[in-house]
Amino acid sequence: MFELDVTRVQGEFSLEVDLRLASRGVTALFGPSGSGKTTLLRLIAGLDRPDRGRIAIEGDVLCDTATRRFVPVHRRRLGIVFQEARLFPHYSVRGNLCYGMRDEDPAAVARISGLLGIDHLLTRMPNTLSGGEARRVAIGRALLSSPRLLLLDEPLTGLDGARKQELLEYLAALVRDIDIPVIFVSHDPQELLAVADDLVLLEKGRVLAHGALNDVLARPELMSRLGGFDISAMLSARCHRHDARRQLSELRLSDGQMLELPTLDVEPGQWLKIQVRARDVAIALEPVSGTSIRNTLKATITACQPLDDMASVTLVMLDAGQQTLRALISTASCEALGLAPGMTVQALIRAVSLARPAAAPALADQEVP
Amino acid sequence: MLTPLEWEALHLSLKVAGVAVGVSLVPGIALAWVLARHTFPGKSLLDGLIHLPLVLPPVVVGYLLLLAFGRQGVIGQWLARFDIGLPFTWQGAALAGGVMAFPLMVRAIRLSLEAVDVRLEAAARTLGATRARVFVTITLPLALPGVLTGMMLSFARALSEFGATMTFASNIPGETRTLPLALYSVIQSPGREAAAARLCLISIAVAMLSLLVSEWLARRSRRRMEGRDV
């Protein structure tokens, strides 16, 4: 468990945070700029001291103002990847990777660089790397210092779409592979959906919400903060079979409902997390025919909520086999269809943004055979 | 090619300037680091004190050195206990040159230390490096071009030092008669224009050479710091 209970005042701004984070998995620290993410990160790293509070990892106290304990930065053993890669320009990629290692361990370097796809860059100098490559080296360097926690500060900021997607995939693979908690700082809802298990929502130096990603996402009052128009839902589904002729993969939700996606590179039986943007979901009262949309899920409406900043658009929260799905439709059609909580409707899914392998969800136990 | 006297002056000059730079390098880096990375009461005073030789007449500096290191001086008396006397020796000439060149060295090193990205140092700390290791492996290598520039500037300054050396160490052939003092002696007596011209040329050659070597070194290390192939 990672315990974090700190207060720090910086001029006008004050940070007051009290959190217990899981020992495993990815916690996204999410909030707009100025919400205190960087301040919190610097406190965790030991680059700043809290005015009051305590930070402990697995019972090992890093900082406690009550007992005046303060472990200096270099003895905290936390892997921190800053927004800018901060590679040392006078060391090669290999030199950077090995900087934080106590003993040279070529096997570890080979394993991590293979995992991050940087094994062909080892002899290069940092200023010859692309932005995405430099970030991956920075992540590898942090990991090789055998940290007890990995802290990623907006690691995708400033990368273009393709590089971002690429790094996101490396990150998703990485966090499944490593056995330490990861804190992922971000202000982009799309990023955290792709990798996070838990979500901490930070605003003006306070924790607004903390919990499992889907639980926090399911709270309509937080919706405008979590990306508004771009909001998505993550569904767990299992790859059922591949259809080579039509180049489609068939996925099943835990309640047996089916989705078809362009062929995925996973084994049948593998669980996946798939991201569905709310604006890619439409609603029909009855099963529809004569449409180009192939994916339809039967779902129950749990809430209808016009957007705070755009009342002409309504967010409909749906329950599809105990998983939350969201749909953004115009308020006018919501009224015309007479949508209300408790109604069973058809959710038409125009597109799935992202699918990544994931562990089986807790729900899987109740799976319908 | 050179007369024995010219050899002697050249050799002495290089020795005096080399020792001056060598001895002032570590305190120079330390003071530059303190000035670049710390704020404390009396910082401007310290800064001013270091820069004093740059703005004072060299004779004044030489005289002050004589007061401090002379037989009656505070430091001089203390050194006398170990049978060390600096005035009128080549070590004294090195001291005078070093003091006169010190501000140039500190200035150049300080500028390059200020240019080192503190975020890289923070990153190194999070990777488990102590402050000392960060300084040796990150800060100093990245500031190396500036350190080399500082060394070259102070070497050239110590080489050309005249007033403070003359006052503190005097003009003793074979002991403190460096190139500028030799030149001065030569032009004191009439009819030795040719000898003066030769000493002039030697001075120019040595200065140019040290400039070129240090430029080359600085460029080379800058390129390495920027991660390009050397």
Side-chain angles (χ1 to χ4, degrees):
Chain A
M1 178 146 44
F2 183 53
E3 299 162 66
L4 195 59
D5 171 17
V6 286
T7 311
R8 185 179 160 94
V9 179
Q10 256 168 305
E12 296 277 284
F13 177 81
S14 76
L15 179 82
E16 238 176 85
V17 164
D18 189 358
L19 287 168
R20 305 273 174 281
L21 305 182
S23 299
R24 210 175 183 286
V26 183
T27 303
L29 196 61
F30 179 76
S33 51
S35 58
K37 303 187 298 283
T38 305
T39 310
L40 191 57
L41 182 145
R42 290 184 60 87
L43 289 178
I44 296 172
L47 293 168
D48 289 324
R49 287 170 190 246
D51 296 333
R52 183 210 62 77
R54 183 173 183 277
I55 301 170
I57 182 163
E58 304 299 326
D60 183 11
V61 179
L62 296 180
C63 168
D64 190 348
T65 48
T67 60
R68 298 178 153 240
R69 183 172 165 78
F70 183 83
V71 177
V73 185
H74 67 278
R75 283 206 260 118
R76 294 204 168 189
R77 288 186 47 220
L78 305 176
I80 298 175
V81 180
F82 296 93
Q83 261 179 54
E84 333 77 40
R86 300 197 188 181
L87 299 182
F88 307 134
H90 54 306
Y91 283 94
S92 66
V93 168
R94 184 190 295 279
N96 269 281
L97 288 173
C98 294
Y99 189 86
M101 297 175 78
R102 244 154 288 176
D103 309 294
E104 292 274 321
D105 183 356
V109 175
R111 191 177 72 85
I112 295 289
S113 50
L115 206 57
L116 287 163
I118 49 174
D119 30 10
H120 60 294
L121 305 173
L122 291 177
T123 56
R124 297 258 293 269
M125 295 305 277
N127 79 332
T128 65
L129 303 179
S130 72
E133 289 167 342
R135 303 279 170 102
R136 267 141 62 197
V137 174
I139 293 168
R141 181 176 72 175
L143 276 176
L144 283 166
S145 68
S146 41
R148 297 180 286 184
L149 173 91
L150 186 64
L151 226 160
L152 305 166
D153 186 12
E154 311 209 357
L156 302 169
T157 305
L159 298 182
D160 63 46
R163 295 284 87 76
K164 201 172 195 163
Q165 192 58 41
E166 183 187 54
L167 184 52
L168 208 49
E169 278 159 25
Y170 279 117
L171 273 180
L174 188 75
V175 296
R176 262 179 295 139
D177 197 74
I178 57 175
D179 201 25
I180 52 171
V182 178
I183 298 181
F184 183 94
V185 177
S186 172
H187 67 261
D188 180 352
Q190 303 307 322
E191 296 176 10
L192 65 94
L193 281 169
V195 294
D197 302 308
D198 291 335
L199 177 61
V200 174
L201 186 56
L202 209 60
E203 196 173 84
K204 296 191 183 107
R206 303 289 183 281
V207 175
L208 218 56
H210 173 210
L213 180 67
N214 269 316
D215 296 348
V216 177
L217 285 178
R219 289 164 59 178
E221 79 275 13
L222 301 176
M223 132 105 217
S224 63
R225 294 182 176 86
L226 288 169
F229 198 70
D230 276 328
I231 197 163
S232 344
M234 296 302 281
L235 298 178
S236 285
R238 191 178 210 163
C239 180
H240 182 61
R241 64 187 188 89
H242 298 294
D243 185 334
R245 191 179 60 79
R246 295 186 301 152
Q247 299 198 359
L248 290 173
S249 293
E250 207 173 280
L251 269 58
R252 283 186 191 268
L253 301 187
S254 50
D255 66 348
Q257 298 203 70
M258 195 183 83
L259 290 171
E260 280 177 351
L261 261 56
T263 306
L264 297 164
D265 183 22
V266 293
E267 293 293 311
Q270 169 70 50
W271 279 94
L272 298 157
K273 283 228 180 231
I274 57 175
Q275 181 182 353
V276 182
R277 276 175 218 257
R279 60 175 166 196
D280 289 333
V281 179
I283 288 177
L285 294 177
E286 301 293 334
V288 284
S289 57
T291 166
S292 64
I293 297 174
R294 293 196 62 86
N295 288 320
T296 306
L297 295 176
K298 204 169 99 181
T300 310
I301 296 178
T302 54
C304 297
Q305 172 117 0
L307 291 192
D308 295 351
D309 46 356
M310 214 194 299
S312 64
V313 179
T314 292
L315 176 76
V316 180
M317 308 280 259
L318 300 153
D319 179 278
Q322 295 185 32
Q323 301 201 67
T324 304
L325 191 64
R326 291 167 187 73
L328 271 180
I329 59 174
S330 74
T331 306
S333 39
C334 180
E335 281 164 7
L337 295 174
L339 299 184
M343 285 174 71
T344 300
V345 293
Q346 302 292 322
L348 312 178
I349 298 173
R350 270 194 288 268
V352 167
S353 319
L354 182 114
R356 62 164 169 103
L363 288 172
D365 304 338
Q366 308 149 22
E367 192 182 352
V368 181
Chain B
M1 213 166 98
L2 298 180
T3 66
L5 274 177
E6 283 164 352
W7 268 121
E8 191 183 82
L10 176 61
H11 174 243
L12 192 60
S13 282
L14 294 175
K15 182 165 82 173
V16 163
V19 167
V21 171
V23 169
S24 54
L25 184 60
V26 171
I29 291 174
L31 274 171
W33 184 75
V34 166
L35 290 173
R37 288 294 156 81
H38 296 270
T39 39
F40 51 90
K43 181 174 169 177
S44 349
L45 192 70
L46 179 65
D47 200 18
L49 219 64
I50 291 170
H51 277 89
L52 217 49
L54 207 59
V55 288
L56 273 181
V59 180
V60 174
V61 175
Y63 182 61
L64 289 174
L65 285 174
L66 209 50
L67 288 184
F69 289 90
R71 235 154 252 211
Q72 309 304 317
V74 182
I75 308 173
Q77 278 181 348
W78 181 74
L79 284 175
R81 283 200 239 157
F82 307 98
D83 215 20
I84 300 173
L86 286 177
F88 315 115
T89 62
W90 73 265
Q91 292 95 335
L95 176 67
V99 168
M100 291 304 293
F102 200 57
L104 293 173
M105 172 180 275
V106 172
R107 223 182 152 74
I109 299 176
R110 176 185 175 172
L111 282 176
S112 67
L113 285 177
E114 277 168 352
V116 172
D117 191 346
V118 288
R119 295 176 309 175
L120 292 179
E121 297 175 358
R125 297 265 288 143
T126 67
L127 290 166
T130 59
R131 280 186 195 283
R133 179 165 177 234
V134 171
F135 185 76
V136 173
T137 58
I138 308 292
T139 316
L140 204 52
L142 289 176
L144 196 60
V147 175
L148 290 172
T149 305
M151 286 172 72
M152 184 279 294
L153 281 173
S154 62
F155 182 76
R157 182 66 190 82
L159 208 59
S160 63
E161 173 43 37
F162 177 77
T165 315
M166 187 72 153
T167 315
F168 181 58
S170 190
N171 187 356
I172 305 162
E175 182 68 30
T176 66
R177 183 173 285 177
T178 56
L179 282 170
L181 284 106
L183 181 60
Y184 175 76
S185 307
V186 164
I187 55 181
Q188 289 301 93
S189 43
R192 296 186 62 191
E193 284 77 10
R198 286 174 60 90
L199 282 169
C200 253
L201 284 175
I202 296 169
S203 295
I204 292 171
V206 172
M208 277 306 283
L209 201 66
S210 65
L211 206 73
L212 289 175
V213 167
S214 83
E215 263 306 296
W216 177 74
L217 276 175
R219 210 170 35 236
R220 199 181 129 97
S221 70
R222 198 170 302 128
R223 224 181 283 160
R224 180 150 59 215
M225 291 318 116
E226 284 165 8
R228 271 180 263 141
D229 296 323
V230 182

